[in-house]
Amino acid sequence: MEQPFLGDQSSLSAHIWRPVVAFTLLLGYFALFGVLIGGQGVLWAEVIRTMRLSKSTFGTAQLVSPLIAVVLLLAGGQLTAWAGKKRLAVVSLALLGVSVLLLASAGNLWGLLGALLVAGAGAGLMELAMNGGTLDWEQATRRNVMNVMHAGFSGGAVVGALAAGLLLGRGWSYNSVLVVMAVLCGLAMLATFPVRYTPVDATHHDHSRPGATLRLLFSRALLVVALLCDLGVVGESVANLWSVIYLHQLGATAVVGGAAFALFNGSMFAGRLLNAPLVERMGARISLLLSGALLVLANVLLLAGGGITLAVIAFVFLGLGVAGVIPTALTVAARRVPGNSGAITGATMAAYGCFIICPPLIGSIADLVSLRSALLSVGLSGFAILWLAWGVDRRHA
């Protein structure tokens, strides 16, 4: 059972739990996380240039964050039961704020690695808090909002990317932009304290036994779902780290790169809003098949070599393709194994092995061949999603 924390979940506080307030806070987490990812996606090109890093070195450095996050996610059920999602949210916001401040002050590879290490811990705990909290909210209210929450992430990424691009265009240093992000993390942490989360007795209790997350991950019920999450991450990883860098290679300015990254996240935002009624009417299987087809189309456009305009269009289709994969997979997982929101979130989100594999792999291929050739990974993930989607049970629509 989750521990009470300044009004955190408990049966005694159930009568004053406000679903709308809890929903707004959770949506705010997704939006803020999107602002951080969107803003940093634009700033990475500046970081690489300032620190004089090769693509392979930068890609390898990106291993740090997902490795730390995956370790925490694998302990998702136990951490959630021990600390409660509210405590996890507060700690994660503090860590994310510290991480961007460390990145702002970093002047070399070692400083970058330190910032990424703290960011990984913050991201892992935030995934547990916001996704687990959303699954609890869905089960308590019997309403499906996971796609809306992830749309909030995409909307936040649009704002973060546009803001970062505009501020860079006006002469701001990337260090100053990162300081603004740290302030936003602090404000979100302060907003968390007075809010009560979904009462535990309104849903089910998470399994707190050690290894619960691993057992779920390797169960038949969740293994395909975890693989789908993995493959959905490929396109997001490529866009988050390499889209602006790729556009800069084609001759795009910082403002154009930021606008293109915002368009990618805007298409994800629209895709997630459209995906919710699509899943309700036609089922998870159709949603996933459409996602795989859009990823293949995006890859064809990226490899066509038509310059900046065609590349931007390709990233728009890429955003539409990855939009519904993870929220659809999480909802399917929650319905297959109800009552284990912390462990389910840890099991499915810990399948983010592609966040570990993609950055160094794409960076190495980019240095050896070209970044354009490395983007073939997007199409391969699309074909794999098409293959796995045939096995998704229509009953979990």
Side-chain angles (χ1 to χ4, degrees):
M1 180 181 296
E2 295 192 9
Q3 305 290 329
F5 174 55
L6 293 178
D8 199 2
Q9 311 176 45
S10 70
S11 58
L12 294 176
S13 64
H15 65 287
I16 53 175
W17 172 60
R18 295 179 174 86
V20 174
V21 175
F23 172 87
T24 303
L25 181 67
L26 290 168
L27 183 60
Y29 292 158
F30 279 91
L32 174 61
F33 202 33
V35 168
L36 297 179
I37 298 299
Q40 290 180 16
V42 175
L43 300 180
W44 286 133
E46 301 296 323
V47 172
I48 288 178
R49 181 166 60 250
T50 301
M51 296 185 184
R52 298 180 180 178
L53 302 176
S54 68
K55 295 182 181 64
S56 58
T57 300
F58 173 72
T60 303
Q62 294 293 329
L63 281 168
V64 175
S65 283
L67 278 173
I68 298 299
V70 163
V71 170
L72 293 173
L73 287 166
L74 286 173
Q78 191 174 5
L79 280 173
T80 301
W82 172 65
K85 298 180 184 72
K86 186 169 183 175
R87 281 194 182 95
L88 295 182
V90 170
V91 174
S92 70
L93 289 166
L95 290 172
L96 290 171
V98 170
S99 72
V100 291
L101 289 177
L102 289 174
L103 182 58
S105 61
N108 53 38
L109 177 61
W110 294 109
L112 173 64
L113 289 172
L116 291 174
L117 188 151
V118 178
L125 295 179
M126 178 54 75
E127 294 281 13
L128 286 173
M130 64 186 188
N131 283 292
T134 300
L135 292 176
D136 285 344
W137 195 95
E138 285 188 331
Q139 291 182 19
T141 62
R142 297 184 180 180
R143 295 175 60 190
N144 296 326
V145 296
M146 187 62 77
N147 275 286
V148 175
M149 292 297 187
H150 282 260
F153 168 86
S154 300
V158 172
V159 174
L162 285 175
L166 289 173
L167 291 175
L168 290 176
R170 293 194 173 194
W172 283 47
S173 67
Y174 74 82
N175 316 78
S176 301
V177 179
L178 289 168
V179 171
V180 174
M181 294 181 185
V183 172
L184 293 177
C185 292
L187 293 175
M189 184 169 62
L190 292 176
T192 299
F193 289 112
V195 178
R196 299 183 187 277
Y197 275 34
T198 307
V200 170
D201 59 0
T203 57
H204 299 272
H205 301 313
D206 282 318
H207 293 304
S208 58
R209 297 187 301 274
T213 301
L214 279 174
R215 284 193 293 273
L216 277 176
L217 177 60
F218 290 105
S219 68
R220 175 180 289 184
L222 289 191
L223 186 56
V224 171
V225 173
L227 289 173
L228 284 167
C229 284
D230 240 342
L231 293 166
V233 162
V234 173
E236 284 197 60
S237 176
V238 166
N240 288 339
L241 292 179
W242 303 105
S243 60
V244 177
I245 297 171
Y246 179 66
L247 290 169
H248 279 195
Q249 286 187 356
L250 296 178
T253 64
V255 175
V256 171
F261 193 61
L263 279 174
F264 162 76
N265 285 287
S267 65
M268 283 185 64
F269 175 81
R272 282 168 173 164
L273 291 180
L274 293 172
N275 187 60
L278 176 65
V279 172
E280 287 293 330
R281 294 182 182 183
M282 305 188 70
R285 186 167 177 264
I286 297 299
S287 170
L288 293 168
L289 288 171
L290 182 59
S291 294
L294 286 170
L295 288 174
V296 173
L297 175 60
N299 203 187
V300 170
L301 295 176
L302 281 173
L303 298 179
I308 296 174
T309 301
L310 193 60
V312 170
I313 295 172
F315 284 120
V316 169
F317 281 114
L318 176 58
L320 289 172
V322 300
V325 178
I326 294 172
T328 300
L330 282 172
T331 299
V332 170
R335 292 181 179 181
R336 288 187 173 186
V337 190
N340 301 280
S341 61
I344 288 171
T345 302
T348 53
M349 306 302 274
Y352 276 19
C354 287
F355 268 137
I356 299 173
I357 298 171
C358 281
L361 178 62
I362 292 178
S364 297
I365 295 174
D367 279 343
L368 291 173
V369 187
S370 69
L371 182 53
R372 182 180 162 200
S373 300
L375 298 182
L376 181 63
S377 58
V378 173
L380 295 176
S381 69
F383 280 116
I385 289 174
L386 286 171
W387 178 63
L388 287 173
W390 285 108
V392 175
D393 195 332
R394 291 183 179 85
R395 290 176 301 170
H396 298 291

